């Protein structure tokens, strides 16, 4: 069998410099599978570094305002405190962190730190739409490099305020907003690149495993920032900032954006092993989705923002992610606080214990993302899988609220289960679903919509990510049970928003089974 896609007429100058150098040393072209491996590794560490830099500010806040008073559980508290990730009591190592940093160590320091987070999240969400639009109109390798270097610059610039003795609030506010803008370049771009190289059949499982970079980046960012904090909080920002800039340069030299960009075709062994790259249309909702890798559309214009919204499935999944991320980010911002104020086995956990315990929610999320991706691949049903996980998260949330306090073992088990069902559909929608919809058949082979579609879906979800913790701050002042009721309601709405797509997928499955039954050969009839 020959190649199923003719290589584009590319010059060697279009290849990343690192790829050209490796091929020069080898004196032979790099294989298709090797290119796929490079794509997965480079994009994994790229978004890993995005999240590592994003997490550092929550660690640095304990140095900017370490003198937080104890909080009475019966007193009302502000949503801004939730965003600030403030410690609720004086820690034993406060002497290392110093007396804080003006203007954040004043009476309204917590409010200011909360405003930094709110500004970051909303600029990030709005920037996502802009970034997807631009990403489909320029070389994603260049665009990602600019985004990563810019993120590194403004993350480090925040830390430079330590040595420059900057005590102006608006300096840190503007730097955080610009960091959020450059951070928004990451997700639409890396999903578009990975989508360019992997067909639909195995995309869910591959992206589910690949999506672990989010949790690993969060954990690494926290560890690195915490270790460096004792040398001065500026180092906790500058070192991760330099790290993402370095990874951005590596990406510039080695990332092949698409098969066409490096002039490769699917060779015999890949075509034989990966039958998902053969022209076999798959049902997605009420439409047909073609495998991405056989499309050639470099000569077509990038898809506009409004047209991308009209692609079947984009609006339902984007709105679904709004509520899914509302639930997930409420846990991200509030879970350590909630755990530290919940009696488990007859005692309150310390802030450090609560923080360590809360990481298990991310562990469950990694498992959920992989499981959701694998199930959706096997069923060829993204909407059914996502909706099922959202519905299952409702009893999981109920049981965690009702029985998580019984024992540490029960809390751990229920937290893992909750993280799995909450983050599973979130990971699936932001990865495989976005890549599927970005290559929808209604685009007639035009794949220059991947970044725009991904940006629409995740940008809409990011608005929910900002609103969820905001609402939780107000509601939790009255009742934590009301907070969990809100989260269960959001999960229910997220599942219901996919009802039309679920019905279409079920109908397609029934029709497919009937077709197979009709086409099945009947055994010969024996003559008597």
């Amino acid at each position: 069998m020959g190649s199923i896609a003719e290589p584009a007429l590319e010059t060697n100058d279009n290849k990343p410099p690192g790829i050209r150098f490796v091929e020069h040393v080898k004196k032979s072209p790099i294989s298709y599978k090797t290119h796929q491996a490079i794509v997965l590794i480079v994009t994994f560490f790229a978004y890993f570094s995005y999240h590592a830099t994003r997490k550092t500010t929550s660690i640095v806040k304990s140095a900017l305002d370490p003198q937080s008073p104890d909080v009475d559980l019966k007193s009302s508290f502000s949503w801004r405190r939730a965003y600030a990730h403030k410690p609720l009591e004086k820690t034993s190592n406060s002497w290392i962190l110093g007396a804080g940093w003006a203007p954040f160590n004043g009476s309204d320091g917590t409010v200011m730190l909360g405003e930094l987070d709110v500004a970051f999240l909303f600029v990030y969400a709005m920037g996502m739409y802009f970034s997807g639009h631009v990403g489909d109109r320029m070389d994603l390798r260049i665009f990602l490099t600019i985004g990563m270097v810019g993120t590194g610059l403004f993350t480090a610039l925040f830390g430079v305020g330590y040595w420059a003795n900057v005590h102006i609030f608006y300096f840190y506010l503007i730097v955080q907003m610009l960091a959020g803008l450059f951070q928004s370049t990451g997700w639409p771009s890396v999903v578009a690149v990975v989508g360019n190289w992997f067909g639909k059949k195995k995309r869910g499982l591959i992206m589910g495993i690949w999506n672990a970079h989010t949790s690993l980046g969060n954990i690494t960012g926290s560890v690195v920032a915490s270790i460096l904090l004792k040398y001065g909080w500026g180092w906790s920002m500058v070192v991760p900032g330099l790290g993402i800039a370095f990874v951005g340069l590596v990406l510039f030299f080695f990332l092949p954006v698409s098969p066409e960009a490096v002039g490769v075709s699917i060779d015999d062994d890949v075509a034989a092993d990966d039958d998902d790259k053969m022209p076999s249309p798959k049902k997605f909702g009420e439409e047909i989705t073609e495998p991405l890798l056989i499309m050639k559309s470099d000569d077509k214009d990038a898809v506009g923002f409004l047209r991308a919204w009209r692609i079947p499935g984009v609006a339902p999944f984007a709105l679904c992610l709004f509520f899914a991320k509302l639930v997930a980010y409420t846990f991200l911002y509030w879970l350590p606080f909630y755990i530290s104020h919940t009696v488990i086995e007859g005692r309150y956990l310390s802030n450090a214990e609560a923080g360590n315990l809360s990481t298990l929610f991310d562990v469950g999320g990694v498992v959920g993302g992989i499981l959701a991706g694998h199930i959706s691949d096997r069923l060829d049903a993204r909407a059914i899988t996502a909706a099922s996980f959202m519905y299952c998260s409702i009893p999981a949330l109920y049981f965690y609220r009702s029985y998580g306090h019984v024992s540490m073992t029960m809390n751990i088990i229920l937290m893992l289960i909750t993280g799995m069902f909450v983050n599973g559909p979130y990971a699936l929608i932001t990865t495989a679903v976005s890549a599927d919809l970005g290559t929808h058949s209604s685009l007639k082979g035009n794949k220059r919509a991947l970044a725009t579609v991904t940006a629409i879906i995740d940008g809409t979800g990011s608005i929910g990510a900002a609103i969820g913790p905001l609402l939780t701050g107000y509601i939790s002042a009255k009742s934590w049970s009301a907070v969990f009721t809100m989260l269960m309601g959001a999960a229910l709405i997220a599942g219901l928003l996919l009802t039309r797509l679920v019905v279409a997928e079920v109908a397609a499955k029934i029709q497919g089974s009937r077709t197979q039954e009709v086409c099945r050969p009947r055994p010969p009839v024996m003559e008597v």
Side-chain angles (χ1 to χ4, degrees):
M1 182 189 300
S3 64
I4 66 175
E6 294 296 329
L9 296 177
E10 302 283 348
T11 64
N12 198 49
D13 292 337
N14 290 328
K15 294 182 180 181
I19 297 294
R20 293 204 308 267
F21 175 76
V22 171
E23 290 183 338
H24 175 74
V25 173
K26 286 184 57 181
K27 301 187 183 303
S28 63
I30 294 177
S31 69
Y32 192 92
K33 285 186 175 180
T34 302
H35 275 105
Q36 287 182 310
I38 292 173
V39 167
L40 286 178
I41 293 171
V42 172
T43 54
F44 181 94
F45 282 102
Y47 210 68
F48 172 95
S49 61
Y50 270 107
H51 263 267
T53 55
R54 191 179 305 174
K55 189 67 176 177
T56 55
T57 52
S58 64
I59 303 300
V60 166
K61 287 168 186 172
S62 62
L64 300 178
D65 184 15
Q67 305 298 329
S68 296
D70 291 339
V71 176
D72 185 354
L73 296 181
K74 296 181 179 180
S75 64
S76 62
F77 43 87
S78 168
W79 58 270
R80 293 182 177 90
R81 181 176 295 129
Y83 274 104
H85 297 282
K86 293 290 289 90
L88 299 175
E89 58 188 17
K90 221 180 213 180
T91 59
S92 60
N93 62 343
S94 292
W95 64 273
I96 297 176
L97 304 178
W101 189 265
F104 303 106
N105 60 350
S107 58
D108 57 349
T110 301
V111 173
M112 291 182 176
L113 291 171
E115 288 172 351
L116 293 184
D117 282 335
V118 173
F120 176 91
L121 286 168
F122 274 102
V123 171
Y124 174 78
M126 295 298 103
M128 190 80 72
Y129 296 120
F130 173 80
S131 296
H133 183 77
V134 174
D136 279 325
R137 286 159 176 79
M138 67 179 292
D139 188 335
L140 286 173
R141 179 170 60 92
I142 305 298
F143 188 57
L144 268 170
T145 301
I146 294 173
M148 296 178 74
V149 172
T151 298
L153 171 65
F154 288 104
T155 300
L157 193 58
F158 192 104
V160 168
Y162 172 75
W163 292 285
N165 203 30
V166 177
H167 298 280
I168 302 172
F169 169 71
Y170 288 102
F171 167 82
Y172 298 102
L173 179 66
I174 293 172
V175 167
Q176 275 292 81
M177 293 173 69
L178 291 173
L181 180 62
F182 279 96
Q183 281 263 357
S184 68
T185 62
W187 190 244
S189 302
V190 295
V191 171
V193 172
V194 173
N196 284 338
W197 285 94
F198 294 90
K200 181 184 175 184
K201 184 175 180 181
K202 298 177 183 177
R203 186 182 285 157
L205 176 61
I206 291 171
M207 285 188 156
I209 298 172
W210 172 78
N211 193 59
H213 50 45
T214 298
S215 297
L216 294 177
N218 287 338
I219 295 170
T220 302
S222 298
V223 172
V224 171
S226 298
I227 292 174
L228 295 174
L229 203 58
K230 61 184 177 182
Y231 301 107
W233 64 263
W235 290 108
S236 297
M237 302 296 294
V238 170
V239 171
L242 294 176
I244 190 174
F246 173 77
V247 176
L249 295 177
V250 173
L251 180 144
F252 173 80
F253 282 103
F254 288 99
L255 180 66
V257 172
S258 67
E260 296 84 358
V262 291
V264 300
S265 61
I266 306 175
D267 52 26
D268 294 340
D269 60 325
V270 177
D273 293 340
D274 296 342
D275 58 351
D276 61 313
K277 299 181 182 70
M278 296 299 292
S280 55
K282 302 289 185 181
K283 282 284 184 181
F284 187 91
E286 297 176 341
E287 300 290 336
I288 303 294
T289 300
E290 299 284 351
L292 174 61
L293 295 175
I294 62 174
M295 298 179 181
K296 295 190 297 181
S297 59
D298 289 343
D299 57 335
K300 298 187 178 183
D301 294 333
V303 174
F305 183 79
L306 294 179
R307 183 185 172 193
W309 266 106
R310 292 195 294 270
I311 296 173
V314 168
F317 273 113
L319 296 174
C320 173
L321 189 63
F322 176 95
F323 291 98
K325 263 196 163 183
L326 184 153
V327 178
Y329 270 66
T330 296
F331 269 83
L332 175 67
Y333 280 104
W334 280 94
L335 187 55
F337 182 92
Y338 172 76
I339 292 173
S340 66
H341 287 76
T342 300
V343 177
I344 301 176
E345 291 186 340
R347 72 180 185 92
Y348 289 100
L349 301 183
S350 68
N351 292 320
E353 290 174 321
N356 291 333
L357 181 60
S358 68
T359 60
L360 294 177
F361 182 81
D362 273 331
V363 175
V366 172
V367 176
I370 296 173
L371 189 60
H374 179 63
I375 292 173
S376 70
D377 282 344
R378 294 295 299 270
L379 297 179
D380 190 22
R382 310 288 196 209
I384 292 175
T385 304
S388 298
F389 269 67
M390 291 309 309
Y391 291 138
C392 288
S393 70
I394 297 173
L397 288 164
Y398 173 80
F399 284 119
Y400 181 72
R401 169 58 180 166
S402 300
Y403 302 104
H405 65 279
V406 173
S407 68
M408 182 64 71
T409 301
M410 184 68 72
N411 192 286
I412 290 173
I413 293 173
L414 293 176
M415 189 186 303
L416 287 169
I417 294 173
T418 303
M420 180 178 70
F421 285 122
V422 168
N423 282 346
Y426 160 33
L428 177 65
I429 294 171
T430 55
T431 55
V433 168
S434 297
D436 288 348
L437 294 174
T439 59
H440 197 273
S441 62
S442 64
L443 299 173
K444 294 180 172 58
N446 186 355
K447 66 186 178 184
R448 296 182 64 189
L450 267 170
T452 300
V453 168
T454 302
I456 287 173
I457 292 176
D458 199 47
T460 304
S462 295
I463 297 174
I467 292 176
L470 175 69
L471 294 176
T472 299
Y474 289 112
I475 299 174
S476 60
K478 301 184 180 299
S479 169
W480 273 106
S481 294
V483 171
F484 277 83
T485 300
M486 177 195 74
L487 297 179
M488 288 185 284
L492 176 62
I493 295 173
L496 291 175
L497 285 168
L498 298 180
T499 300
R500 184 178 63 84
L501 296 178
V502 169
V503 171
E505 286 184 347
V506 171
K509 295 295 179 186
I510 295 174
Q511 181 63 33
S513 63
R514 288 176 178 173
T515 301
Q516 290 179 356
E517 184 66 27
V518 170
C519 297
R520 183 178 300 166
R522 299 182 180 275
V525 178
M526 299 294 293
E527 293 185 2
V528 180

